[in-house]
Amino acid sequence: MKTSYQFTAQIEKDKETGLYIGMIPNLPGAHTQASTLDELQTNLKEVVELCLEELSPEELGNLSEFIGFQQISVSV
């Protein structure tokens, strides 16, 4: 029986290369890049599957809970 997992991806666009960069903050090693958002989503799904396959049941049970992002403003 398969277990379903849901993750939130952080997505940025590299100004130098124009590539989209995606990462899953609470899944170690889950990051990838692509030239389109559709391709990025496909790549992220693949990397998440690979990362989950490498984790032990104990590690899977101990994944941190993603809470969200918070914007911080400072003046320097």
Side-chain angles (χ1 to χ4, degrees), residues 4-74:
S4 274
Y5 296 91
Q6 184 169 337
F7 295 97
T8 300
Q10 176 181 337
I11 299 171
E12 301 174 357
K13 188 168 186 179
D14 186 287
K15 288 186 178 184
E16 282 186 31
T17 64
L19 293 173
Y20 294 100
I21 301 165
M23 60 201 86
I24 310 294
N26 59 326
L27 185 58
H31 51 86
T32 188
Q33 62 186 25
S35 57
T36 68
L37 289 172
D38 288 339
E39 182 183 356
L40 183 66
Q41 182 175 8
T42 299
N43 292 353
L44 280 169
K45 286 181 180 181
E46 288 176 7
V47 77
V48 165
E49 289 171 353
L50 291 170
C51 288
L52 291 175
E53 287 174 4
E54 295 297 316
L55 296 176
S56 69
E58 183 178 331
E59 290 171 318
L60 283 171
N62 288 326
L63 287 176
S64 63
E65 178 184 358
F66 178 77
I67 301 300
F69 293 102
Q70 186 171 16
Q71 189 169 4
I72 308 296
S73 297
V74 296

